[in-house]
Amino acid sequence: MTRVAAGSWQNCLKKMLFSSSSSSRTRKALSNLASPAHEQIIKSPPLVSLDIRDDIWPLHPSTGFDDLASFSIQEPSKGTKCTHIVYFEYIPIFDEPIVLATEQIGRVIDGKSIAERIRSGIASEVSMMKSSIGKVPGLAVILVGQRRDSQAYVRNKEAACKEVGIKFVMTKLHEKCTQDDICDALSKFNQNPAIHGIIVQLPLPEHLCEGKILDVLSLEKDVDGFNPMNMGNLAMQGREPLFIPCAPKGCIELLLWHNVKIMGKKAVVIGRSNLVGLPASLLLQRHQATVSIVHPFTKNPEQITREADIVVSAVGEPNLVRGSWLKRGAVVIDVGTYPVEDPRCEHGYRLTGDVCYEEAVRVASAITPVPGGVGPMTIAMLLSNTLESAKRTYNFFT
Amino acid sequence: MTRVAAGSWQNCLKKMLFSSSSSSRTRKALSNLASPAHEQIIKSPPLVSLDIRDDIWPLHPSTGFDDLASFSIQEPSKGTKCTHIVYFEYIPIFDEPIVLATEQIGRVIDGKSIAERIRSGIASEVSMMKSSIGKVPGLAVILVGQRRDSQAYVRNKEAACKEVGIKFVMTKLHEKCTQDDICDALSKFNQNPAIHGIIVQLPLPEHLCEGKILDVLSLEKDVDGFNPMNMGNLAMQGREPLFIPCAPKGCIELLLWHNVKIMGKKAVVIGRSNLVGLPASLLLQRHQATVSIVHPFTKNPEQITREADIVVSAVGEPNLVRGSWLKRGAVVIDVGTYPVEDPRCEHGYRLTGDVCYEEAVRVASAITPVPGGVGPMTIAMLLSNTLESAKRTYNFFT
């Protein structure tokens, strides 16, 4: 790492950006920094397109930026504390180093604004569907009991559906309802052709068996992707699930929108829940990361996490992941949400993540806040899955 | 680690074994060393019984032996080079240390003899089924083409079925057969009530789509456990697959027969194939190991592997895993089999593993040989899955 004199970074970039002798690769990388061009709404490619035959061992032409010469430049203006790191490759035949990528320490991954752009794209598609075939996607939610957090999540989903033009219907059931009550409600939605996605808001009261209830949910409408068939197809190379679970899909989208390279990176997923941790680990692996899964029986979780380039935490334990758990420059995706009593907030509580944000933001190259990180993305992915399901049903592909 | 004077180890153990002041825990551990009592045929418990709620974070009363006082004793007699390590716990109220476990460096995990004991148990159960209800389990194999290794595997399976009394039928198809030819053969076996397990010998010729063919195979007869529904149920806590894929199940059985503690241990799985690496990683995780998966895009695979207490290698690349890849005392399960031309052998070739055995045996506390390690266990697990399937069909539980 060579540190360039303070004050010179903008000139340095500007010169390279507009210099006719700069390579097109350099210019593209730098102009992406200035105004990233995001044409697709959803950036995740089909998983099968990521599958690569594993029959060449060992395959070790070290990929990734870690092995390349790089230097960081302190941005002197605006009084910000963030640091831009520019990754160069030195190729003898060129006069100048080739810029491969740039990153900024402590960059906030703004899930809210990315989700907004995705929702706006979905709204256009829904509107196009309506005007073309007179149909809109439909999402059904089954809510059991009075949990405040569940109610808040459902409220957000309803608002998001309304915003993009997806039809939203809900069945509310009493906390003491039976397994059969839920299954009856599910069966009605399964049979309703105007409903393309069904979710049972989890967690359910303890007397109900989540697994058996979710098994009743039609595979073609399982927009949460929690059916074991979906999970198996997510895990297995050469296969494609009908739906990828929303929170993990949102995590990958955030990484892709921020141009984080996943292939060959060390990823640690903290938590192994069926809803987030497990599918997140499977999805990262399909994207060619080297994945380790940390859970309550892991010894030295901080040591394992400290080795990761990408950390996804999905536990629900406030401030579990401290700054000392992170490698400098790691990208941190905080899926944890934990309601903490706070009478100052509108609903009497606020949401806190797994990661001690104040500490982590000083170490990570990029980090999601809670709220405003994965949360809005999860809802955007639910809308996207519902839209995809409707498109499949009506064979409507633009 | 305290080294006890050479020559004293047998006396030390004997004294503790027969001393009336020894705790029952100590005596049990030591007598297990002398003559391990294996009453069950299959040691893997139902997976759901292993599920533990993950809602307590961080859970760090360090479990496992690593943190306990221990010493190793060099066995002086017999001229052997192996070292016995006895793990003790010091509890002030006892006069003597409590023996928790013992292990021996370079111990060979003899899959052949364990598989033999398992097969013998299966033979008894099959015989009991026949005498009670006049039925036996039936296994059907579809073999496409002339691959020497596939033919050898199928021969072994046929011989094993005959030995334990399982009915074996085979459909051989030409290498250039169509997808429909295989699906027709599969459908016949699906409908045949005397067949309880069906396997399509993999790999298939390249023009055939493995995934689509396996999807035709009845879930209730998928004794290889390759259906995505099975894989999803293997991955998800709170769920139980109908069948666990045979090779990974064999790996876990070997660990359990050798009293290797899996919970809380660091496990590295090398290779992520749908057939072995992926299900092995999922299974180890269900057994509460902290699992990392190494694949061709992993940087520094040797460094990651060197951190593991348990290494499962399933690649098919001879000698990929060197002694230097292993932590001292690691347990190594070598699933890799690679045919190497050798005119001295009966069929013109011999099988070699992924692990450089000569180097690894000096570092590992226990290791499987190739052949004679996981191979025979895989077949034993296939028989066990077929028996289980027949028991479910006939509702025959002893």
PDB file of all heavy atoms in Angstrom, chain A residues 228-229 232-233 236 239, chain B residues 211 214-220 222 224-234 241 243 245:
ATOM      1  N   PRO A 228     -38.753 -27.156   1.880  1.00  0.00           N
ATOM      2  CA  PRO A 228     -37.477 -27.884   1.747  1.00  0.00           C
ATOM      3  C   PRO A 228     -37.076 -28.157   0.297  1.00  0.00           C
ATOM      4  O   PRO A 228     -35.895 -28.248  -0.005  1.00  0.00           O
ATOM      5  CB  PRO A 228     -37.721 -29.199   2.498  1.00  0.00           C
ATOM      6  CG  PRO A 228     -39.138 -29.216   2.895  1.00  0.00           C
ATOM      7  CD  PRO A 228     -39.681 -27.845   2.773  1.00  0.00           C
ATOM      8  N   MET A 229     -38.066 -28.272  -0.589  1.00  0.00           N
ATOM      9  CA  MET A 229     -37.756 -28.466  -2.002  1.00  0.00           C
ATOM     10  C   MET A 229     -36.998 -27.250  -2.555  1.00  0.00           C
ATOM     11  O   MET A 229     -36.013 -27.372  -3.270  1.00  0.00           O
ATOM     12  CB  MET A 229     -39.077 -28.674  -2.760  1.00  0.00           C
ATOM     13  CG  MET A 229     -38.898 -29.003  -4.213  1.00  0.00           C
ATOM     14  SD  MET A 229     -38.020 -30.566  -4.395  1.00  0.00           S
ATOM     15  CE  MET A 229     -38.993 -31.305  -5.656  1.00  0.00           C
ATOM     16  N   GLY A 232     -33.496 -27.271  -0.993  1.00  0.00           N
ATOM     17  CA  GLY A 232     -32.633 -28.253  -1.644  1.00  0.00           C
ATOM     18  C   GLY A 232     -32.161 -27.756  -3.002  1.00  0.00           C
ATOM     19  O   GLY A 232     -30.983 -27.894  -3.355  1.00  0.00           O
ATOM     20  N   ASN A 233     -33.071 -27.162  -3.749  1.00  0.00           N
ATOM     21  CA  ASN A 233     -32.689 -26.641  -5.063  1.00  0.00           C
ATOM     22  C   ASN A 233     -31.743 -25.449  -4.952  1.00  0.00           C
ATOM     23  O   ASN A 233     -30.952 -25.189  -5.861  1.00  0.00           O
ATOM     24  CB  ASN A 233     -33.938 -26.254  -5.865  1.00  0.00           C
ATOM     25  CG  ASN A 233     -34.608 -27.464  -6.480  1.00  0.00           C
ATOM     26  OD1 ASN A 233     -33.932 -28.410  -6.886  1.00  0.00           O
ATOM     27  ND2 ASN A 233     -35.922 -27.452  -6.542  1.00  0.00           N
ATOM     28  N   MET A 236     -28.227 -27.216  -4.168  1.00  0.00           N
ATOM     29  CA  MET A 236     -27.588 -28.122  -5.121  1.00  0.00           C
ATOM     30  C   MET A 236     -27.174 -27.430  -6.415  1.00  0.00           C
ATOM     31  O   MET A 236     -27.986 -26.771  -7.065  1.00  0.00           O
ATOM     32  CB  MET A 236     -28.546 -29.276  -5.441  1.00  0.00           C
ATOM     33  CG  MET A 236     -28.826 -30.153  -4.238  1.00  0.00           C
ATOM     34  SD  MET A 236     -30.184 -31.323  -4.513  1.00  0.00           S
ATOM     35  CE  MET A 236     -29.336 -32.617  -5.440  1.00  0.00           C
ATOM     36  N   ARG A 239     -29.118 -26.776 -10.106  1.00  0.00           N
ATOM     37  CA  ARG A 239     -30.558 -26.632  -9.872  1.00  0.00           C
ATOM     38  C   ARG A 239     -30.900 -25.195  -9.521  1.00  0.00           C
ATOM     39  O   ARG A 239     -30.036 -24.435  -9.098  1.00  0.00           O
ATOM     40  CB  ARG A 239     -31.000 -27.567  -8.743  1.00  0.00           C
ATOM     41  CG  ARG A 239     -30.956 -29.024  -9.154  1.00  0.00           C
ATOM     42  CD  ARG A 239     -31.503 -29.907  -8.069  1.00  0.00           C
ATOM     43  NE  ARG A 239     -31.590 -31.282  -8.484  1.00  0.00           N
ATOM     44  CZ  ARG A 239     -32.671 -31.862  -9.001  1.00  0.00           C
ATOM     45  NH1 ARG A 239     -33.768 -31.172  -9.172  1.00  0.00           N
ATOM     46  NH2 ARG A 239     -32.662 -33.130  -9.345  1.00  0.00           N
TER      47      ARG A 239
ATOM     48  N   GLY B 211     -30.155 -34.261 -13.281  1.00  0.00           N
ATOM     49  CA  GLY B 211     -31.180 -33.652 -12.439  1.00  0.00           C
ATOM     50  C   GLY B 211     -32.578 -34.112 -12.840  1.00  0.00           C
ATOM     51  O   GLY B 211     -33.374 -34.539 -12.005  1.00  0.00           O
ATOM     52  N   LEU B 214     -33.190 -37.806 -12.050  1.00  0.00           N
ATOM     53  CA  LEU B 214     -33.374 -38.085 -10.626  1.00  0.00           C
ATOM     54  C   LEU B 214     -34.722 -37.573 -10.115  1.00  0.00           C
ATOM     55  O   LEU B 214     -35.274 -38.105  -9.158  1.00  0.00           O
ATOM     56  CB  LEU B 214     -32.217 -37.494  -9.805  1.00  0.00           C
ATOM     57  CG  LEU B 214     -30.847 -38.138 -10.065  1.00  0.00           C
ATOM     58  CD1 LEU B 214     -29.762 -37.445  -9.258  1.00  0.00           C
ATOM     59  CD2 LEU B 214     -30.848 -39.629  -9.734  1.00  0.00           C
ATOM     60  N   ASP B 215     -35.258 -36.525 -10.784  1.00  0.00           N
ATOM     61  CA  ASP B 215     -36.561 -36.002 -10.373  1.00  0.00           C
ATOM     62  C   ASP B 215     -37.679 -37.019 -10.600  1.00  0.00           C
ATOM     63  O   ASP B 215     -38.729 -36.952  -9.952  1.00  0.00           O
ATOM     64  CB  ASP B 215     -36.889 -34.708 -11.137  1.00  0.00           C
ATOM     65  CG  ASP B 215     -36.121 -33.518 -10.574  1.00  0.00           C
ATOM     66  OD1 ASP B 215     -35.567 -33.653  -9.467  1.00  0.00           O
ATOM     67  OD2 ASP B 215     -36.059 -32.473 -11.239  1.00  0.00           O
ATOM     68  N   VAL B 216     -37.475 -37.955 -11.549  1.00  0.00           N
ATOM     69  CA  VAL B 216     -38.499 -38.968 -11.850  1.00  0.00           C
ATOM     70  C   VAL B 216     -38.532 -40.042 -10.761  1.00  0.00           C
ATOM     71  O   VAL B 216     -39.561 -40.661 -10.507  1.00  0.00           O
ATOM     72  CB  VAL B 216     -38.212 -39.606 -13.243  1.00  0.00           C
ATOM     73  CG1 VAL B 216     -39.187 -40.737 -13.552  1.00  0.00           C
ATOM     74  CG2 VAL B 216     -38.265 -38.546 -14.325  1.00  0.00           C
ATOM     75  N   LEU B 217     -37.375 -40.228 -10.113  1.00  0.00           N
ATOM     76  CA  LEU B 217     -37.248 -41.276  -9.094  1.00  0.00           C
ATOM     77  C   LEU B 217     -38.149 -40.982  -7.890  1.00  0.00           C
ATOM     78  O   LEU B 217     -38.096 -39.884  -7.333  1.00  0.00           O
ATOM     79  CB  LEU B 217     -35.771 -41.313  -8.673  1.00  0.00           C
ATOM     80  CG  LEU B 217     -35.186 -42.594  -8.104  1.00  0.00           C
ATOM     81  CD1 LEU B 217     -33.659 -42.546  -8.186  1.00  0.00           C
ATOM     82  CD2 LEU B 217     -35.627 -42.873  -6.712  1.00  0.00           C
ATOM     83  N   SER B 218     -38.963 -41.954  -7.521  1.00  0.00           N
ATOM     84  CA  SER B 218     -39.897 -41.770  -6.407  1.00  0.00           C
ATOM     85  C   SER B 218     -39.153 -41.382  -5.130  1.00  0.00           C
ATOM     86  O   SER B 218     -38.169 -42.030  -4.742  1.00  0.00           O
ATOM     87  CB  SER B 218     -40.663 -43.079  -6.183  1.00  0.00           C
ATOM     88  OG  SER B 218     -41.119 -43.141  -4.855  1.00  0.00           O
ATOM     89  N   LEU B 219     -39.648 -40.333  -4.476  1.00  0.00           N
ATOM     90  CA  LEU B 219     -39.004 -39.818  -3.256  1.00  0.00           C
ATOM     91  C   LEU B 219     -38.893 -40.911  -2.191  1.00  0.00           C
ATOM     92  O   LEU B 219     -37.908 -40.980  -1.455  1.00  0.00           O
ATOM     93  CB  LEU B 219     -39.855 -38.656  -2.729  1.00  0.00           C
ATOM     94  CG  LEU B 219     -39.252 -37.746  -1.677  1.00  0.00           C
ATOM     95  CD1 LEU B 219     -38.008 -37.066  -2.200  1.00  0.00           C
ATOM     96  CD2 LEU B 219     -40.272 -36.697  -1.232  1.00  0.00           C
ATOM     97  N   GLU B 220     -39.895 -41.791  -2.151  1.00  0.00           N
ATOM     98  CA  GLU B 220     -39.941 -42.858  -1.135  1.00  0.00           C
ATOM     99  C   GLU B 220     -38.926 -43.959  -1.412  1.00  0.00           C
ATOM    100  O   GLU B 220     -38.701 -44.833  -0.580  1.00  0.00           O
ATOM    101  CB  GLU B 220     -41.338 -43.475  -1.046  1.00  0.00           C
ATOM    102  CG  GLU B 220     -42.384 -42.607  -0.376  1.00  0.00           C
ATOM    103  CD  GLU B 220     -42.783 -41.407  -1.225  1.00  0.00           C
ATOM    104  OE1 GLU B 220     -42.733 -41.531  -2.486  1.00  0.00           O
ATOM    105  OE2 GLU B 220     -43.082 -40.347  -0.663  1.00  0.00           O
ATOM    106  N   ASP B 222     -35.834 -43.137  -2.991  1.00  0.00           N
ATOM    107  CA  ASP B 222     -34.590 -42.430  -3.296  1.00  0.00           C
ATOM    108  C   ASP B 222     -33.537 -42.728  -2.224  1.00  0.00           C
ATOM    109  O   ASP B 222     -33.138 -41.866  -1.446  1.00  0.00           O
ATOM    110  CB  ASP B 222     -34.895 -40.919  -3.371  1.00  0.00           C
ATOM    111  CG  ASP B 222     -33.660 -40.069  -3.538  1.00  0.00           C
ATOM    112  OD1 ASP B 222     -32.691 -40.534  -4.168  1.00  0.00           O
ATOM    113  OD2 ASP B 222     -33.656 -38.927  -3.013  1.00  0.00           O
ATOM    114  N   ASP B 224     -30.500 -43.108  -2.314  1.00  0.00           N
ATOM    115  CA  ASP B 224     -29.274 -42.313  -2.392  1.00  0.00           C
ATOM    116  C   ASP B 224     -29.464 -40.935  -1.757  1.00  0.00           C
ATOM    117  O   ASP B 224     -28.484 -40.239  -1.485  1.00  0.00           O
ATOM    118  CB  ASP B 224     -28.841 -42.149  -3.861  1.00  0.00           C
ATOM    119  CG  ASP B 224     -27.748 -43.146  -4.264  1.00  0.00           C
ATOM    120  OD1 ASP B 224     -27.059 -43.664  -3.357  1.00  0.00           O
ATOM    121  OD2 ASP B 224     -27.573 -43.392  -5.474  1.00  0.00           O
ATOM    122  N   GLY B 225     -30.711 -40.532  -1.568  1.00  0.00           N
ATOM    123  CA  GLY B 225     -31.001 -39.230  -0.925  1.00  0.00           C
ATOM    124  C   GLY B 225     -30.636 -38.031  -1.767  1.00  0.00           C
ATOM    125  O   GLY B 225     -30.358 -36.964  -1.233  1.00  0.00           O
ATOM    126  N   PHE B 226     -30.636 -38.192  -3.108  1.00  0.00           N
ATOM    127  CA  PHE B 226     -30.192 -37.084  -3.971  1.00  0.00           C
ATOM    128  C   PHE B 226     -31.316 -36.155  -4.403  1.00  0.00           C
ATOM    129  O   PHE B 226     -31.068 -35.155  -5.063  1.00  0.00           O
ATOM    130  CB  PHE B 226     -29.494 -37.637  -5.225  1.00  0.00           C
ATOM    131  CG  PHE B 226     -28.212 -38.365  -4.942  1.00  0.00           C
ATOM    132  CD1 PHE B 226     -27.715 -39.294  -5.851  1.00  0.00           C
ATOM    133  CD2 PHE B 226     -27.485 -38.107  -3.791  1.00  0.00           C
ATOM    134  CE1 PHE B 226     -26.524 -39.965  -5.595  1.00  0.00           C
ATOM    135  CE2 PHE B 226     -26.293 -38.776  -3.528  1.00  0.00           C
ATOM    136  CZ  PHE B 226     -25.812 -39.706  -4.431  1.00  0.00           C
ATOM    137  N   ASN B 227     -32.559 -36.479  -4.066  1.00  0.00           N
ATOM    138  CA  ASN B 227     -33.667 -35.599  -4.421  1.00  0.00           C
ATOM    139  C   ASN B 227     -33.551 -34.287  -3.642  1.00  0.00           C
ATOM    140  O   ASN B 227     -33.223 -34.302  -2.453  1.00  0.00           O
ATOM    141  CB  ASN B 227     -34.979 -36.309  -4.081  1.00  0.00           C
ATOM    142  CG  ASN B 227     -36.185 -35.530  -4.554  1.00  0.00           C
ATOM    143  OD1 ASN B 227     -36.482 -34.463  -4.043  1.00  0.00           O
ATOM    144  ND2 ASN B 227     -36.870 -36.057  -5.554  1.00  0.00           N
ATOM    145  N   PRO B 228     -33.841 -33.143  -4.291  1.00  0.00           N
ATOM    146  CA  PRO B 228     -33.700 -31.864  -3.577  1.00  0.00           C
ATOM    147  C   PRO B 228     -34.569 -31.787  -2.322  1.00  0.00           C
ATOM    148  O   PRO B 228     -34.215 -31.085  -1.372  1.00  0.00           O
ATOM    149  CB  PRO B 228     -34.120 -30.815  -4.609  1.00  0.00           C
ATOM    150  CG  PRO B 228     -34.589 -31.542  -5.805  1.00  0.00           C
ATOM    151  CD  PRO B 228     -34.165 -32.958  -5.714  1.00  0.00           C
ATOM    152  N   MET B 229     -35.689 -32.496  -2.326  1.00  0.00           N
ATOM    153  CA  MET B 229     -36.548 -32.500  -1.131  1.00  0.00           C
ATOM    154  C   MET B 229     -35.797 -33.131   0.048  1.00  0.00           C
ATOM    155  O   MET B 229     -35.825 -32.612   1.166  1.00  0.00           O
ATOM    156  CB  MET B 229     -37.814 -33.303  -1.451  1.00  0.00           C
ATOM    157  CG  MET B 229     -38.826 -33.298  -0.355  1.00  0.00           C
ATOM    158  SD  MET B 229     -39.419 -31.636  -0.053  1.00  0.00           S
ATOM    159  CE  MET B 229     -41.140 -31.951   0.128  1.00  0.00           C
ATOM    160  N   ASN B 230     -35.112 -34.253  -0.234  1.00  0.00           N
ATOM    161  CA  ASN B 230     -34.291 -34.881   0.792  1.00  0.00           C
ATOM    162  C   ASN B 230     -33.178 -33.950   1.256  1.00  0.00           C
ATOM    163  O   ASN B 230     -32.876 -33.850   2.446  1.00  0.00           O
ATOM    164  CB  ASN B 230     -33.666 -36.174   0.246  1.00  0.00           C
ATOM    165  CG  ASN B 230     -34.429 -37.402   0.693  1.00  0.00           C
ATOM    166  OD1 ASN B 230     -34.955 -37.446   1.797  1.00  0.00           O
ATOM    167  ND2 ASN B 230     -34.482 -38.396  -0.171  1.00  0.00           N
ATOM    168  N   MET B 231     -32.550 -33.287   0.268  1.00  0.00           N
ATOM    169  CA  MET B 231     -31.421 -32.409   0.603  1.00  0.00           C
ATOM    170  C   MET B 231     -31.888 -31.227   1.456  1.00  0.00           C
ATOM    171  O   MET B 231     -31.214 -30.841   2.412  1.00  0.00           O
ATOM    172  CB  MET B 231     -30.781 -31.922  -0.702  1.00  0.00           C
ATOM    173  CG  MET B 231     -29.327 -31.599  -0.613  1.00  0.00           C
ATOM    174  SD  MET B 231     -28.280 -33.012  -0.187  1.00  0.00           S
ATOM    175  CE  MET B 231     -28.060 -33.771  -1.796  1.00  0.00           C
ATOM    176  N   GLY B 232     -33.056 -30.666   1.092  1.00  0.00           N
ATOM    177  CA  GLY B 232     -33.609 -29.555   1.874  1.00  0.00           C
ATOM    178  C   GLY B 232     -33.927 -29.991   3.300  1.00  0.00           C
ATOM    179  O   GLY B 232     -33.636 -29.281   4.259  1.00  0.00           O
ATOM    180  N   ASN B 233     -34.501 -31.181   3.433  1.00  0.00           N
ATOM    181  CA  ASN B 233     -34.831 -31.683   4.772  1.00  0.00           C
ATOM    182  C   ASN B 233     -33.583 -32.022   5.576  1.00  0.00           C
ATOM    183  O   ASN B 233     -33.602 -31.979   6.808  1.00  0.00           O
ATOM    184  CB  ASN B 233     -35.740 -32.911   4.664  1.00  0.00           C
ATOM    185  CG  ASN B 233     -37.184 -32.517   4.410  1.00  0.00           C
ATOM    186  OD1 ASN B 233     -37.657 -31.492   4.907  1.00  0.00           O
ATOM    187  ND2 ASN B 233     -37.890 -33.310   3.617  1.00  0.00           N
ATOM    188  N   LEU B 234     -32.522 -32.369   4.884  1.00  0.00           N
ATOM    189  CA  LEU B 234     -31.242 -32.608   5.563  1.00  0.00           C
ATOM    190  C   LEU B 234     -30.659 -31.290   6.070  1.00  0.00           C
ATOM    191  O   LEU B 234     -30.065 -31.219   7.148  1.00  0.00           O
ATOM    192  CB  LEU B 234     -30.270 -33.270   4.572  1.00  0.00           C
ATOM    193  CG  LEU B 234     -28.846 -33.545   5.031  1.00  0.00           C
ATOM    194  CD1 LEU B 234     -28.838 -34.500   6.218  1.00  0.00           C
ATOM    195  CD2 LEU B 234     -28.015 -34.131   3.886  1.00  0.00           C
ATOM    196  N   PRO B 241     -34.781 -35.895   6.690  1.00  0.00           N
ATOM    197  CA  PRO B 241     -34.941 -36.434   5.336  1.00  0.00           C
ATOM    198  C   PRO B 241     -35.382 -37.898   5.403  1.00  0.00           C
ATOM    199  O   PRO B 241     -35.104 -38.577   6.393  1.00  0.00           O
ATOM    200  CB  PRO B 241     -33.537 -36.330   4.743  1.00  0.00           C
ATOM    201  CG  PRO B 241     -32.628 -36.318   5.915  1.00  0.00           C
ATOM    202  CD  PRO B 241     -33.393 -35.718   7.071  1.00  0.00           C
ATOM    203  N   PHE B 243     -34.136 -40.138   3.485  1.00  0.00           N
ATOM    204  CA  PHE B 243     -32.861 -40.852   3.367  1.00  0.00           C
ATOM    205  C   PHE B 243     -31.711 -39.856   3.435  1.00  0.00           C
ATOM    206  O   PHE B 243     -31.782 -38.794   2.826  1.00  0.00           O
ATOM    207  CB  PHE B 243     -32.785 -41.592   2.025  1.00  0.00           C
ATOM    208  CG  PHE B 243     -33.904 -42.570   1.817  1.00  0.00           C
ATOM    209  CD1 PHE B 243     -34.972 -42.264   0.995  1.00  0.00           C
ATOM    210  CD2 PHE B 243     -33.896 -43.798   2.466  1.00  0.00           C
ATOM    211  CE1 PHE B 243     -36.020 -43.159   0.810  1.00  0.00           C
ATOM    212  CE2 PHE B 243     -34.937 -44.701   2.292  1.00  0.00           C
ATOM    213  CZ  PHE B 243     -36.006 -44.383   1.458  1.00  0.00           C
ATOM    214  N   PRO B 245     -27.907 -39.209   2.219  1.00  0.00           N
ATOM    215  CA  PRO B 245     -27.002 -39.761   1.208  1.00  0.00           C
ATOM    216  C   PRO B 245     -25.945 -40.683   1.846  1.00  0.00           C
ATOM    217  O   PRO B 245     -25.427 -40.408   2.932  1.00  0.00           O
ATOM    218  CB  PRO B 245     -26.380 -38.506   0.590  1.00  0.00           C
ATOM    219  CG  PRO B 245     -27.436 -37.464   0.741  1.00  0.00           C
ATOM    220  CD  PRO B 245     -28.082 -37.759   2.068  1.00  0.00           C
TER     221      PRO B 245
END
